[in-house]
């Protein structure tokens, strides 16, 4: 776990403050769900985390935040997530961009699965 000291906090300049602070101190969302609640061949959104199950027993976790301009992604159809702000779309098996203006794939998290519960962890 990263701690954020006062010195680290003060290192950022006015122009880099937000990015540096988020990189060093920002908290990733933390979510969990019963494995049986994640639809096979689709996904579900829980506490700003998109949990997908591309193939049976294979779980993926992505940030719900769109890499384009940080809107929350709200539309899931099968293994495609679409940000309705400017219609970037993403493959939930890989996180890759499949359409729209997003310059980057979804932020992917690691996944912990104890056989009953699936949770995202830092990747
Ligand atoms: S913010 Fe998601 S496509 Fe623009």
């Amino acid at each position: 776990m990263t701690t954020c000291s006062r010195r680290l906090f003060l290192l950022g300049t006015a122009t880099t403050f937000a990015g540096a602070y988020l990189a060093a101190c920002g908290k990733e969302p933390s979510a969990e769900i019963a494995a049986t609640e994640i639809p096979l061949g689709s996904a579900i959104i829980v506490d700003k985390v998109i949990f997908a199950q591309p193939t049976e027993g294979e779980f993926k976790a992505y940030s719900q935040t769109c890499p384009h301009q940080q809107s929350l992604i709200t539309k899931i159809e099968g293994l495609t997530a679409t940000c309705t702000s400017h219609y970037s779309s993403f493959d939930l098996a890989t996180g890759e961009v499949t359409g729209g203006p997003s310059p980057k794939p979804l932020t992917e998290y690691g996944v912990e699965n104890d056989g009953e519960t699936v949770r995202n962890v830092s990747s």
Side-chain angles (χ1 to χ4, degrees), residues 33-55:
I33 186 171
T36 55
E37 301 279 322
I38 304 173
L40 177 59
S42 190
I44 188 169
I45 299 169
V46 180
D47 295 335
K48 297 189 177 179
V49 176
I50 301 172
F51 288 102
Q53 186 177 188
T55 61

Side-chain angles (χ1 to χ4, degrees), residues 66-71 73 83-88 101-102:
C66 179
H68 180 229
Q69 291 182 358
Q70 288 70 53
S71 293
I73 293 167
C83 175
T84 56
S85 290
H86 311 101
Y87 293 96
S88 287
S102 179

Side-chain angles (χ1 to χ4, degrees), residues 2-78:
T2 302
T3 58
C4 189
S5 68
R6 182 178 172 87
R7 176 174 290 172
L8 178 61
F9 182 82
L10 293 174
L11 281 176
T13 64
T15 55
T16 61
F17 170 78
Y21 183 78
L22 287 172
C25 310
K27 292 191 175 189
E28 295 178 346
S30 176
E32 64 179 42
I33 186 171
T36 55
E37 301 279 322
I38 304 173
L40 177 59
S42 190
I44 188 169
I45 299 169
V46 180
D47 295 335
K48 297 189 177 179
V49 176
I50 301 172
F51 288 102
Q53 186 177 188
T55 61
E56 190 166 356
E58 176 198 12
F59 298 104
K60 299 279 194 159
Y62 303 99
S63 171
Q64 186 188 5
T65 301
C66 179
H68 180 229
Q69 291 182 358
Q70 288 70 53
S71 293
L72 290 180
I73 293 167
T74 55
K75 185 174 177 187
I76 305 286
E77 288 180 327

Side-chain angles (χ1 to χ4, degrees), residues 99-112:
S102 179
K104 297 190 300 187
L106 293 174
T107 299
E108 184 170 0
Y109 301 127
V111 170
E112 264 182 19

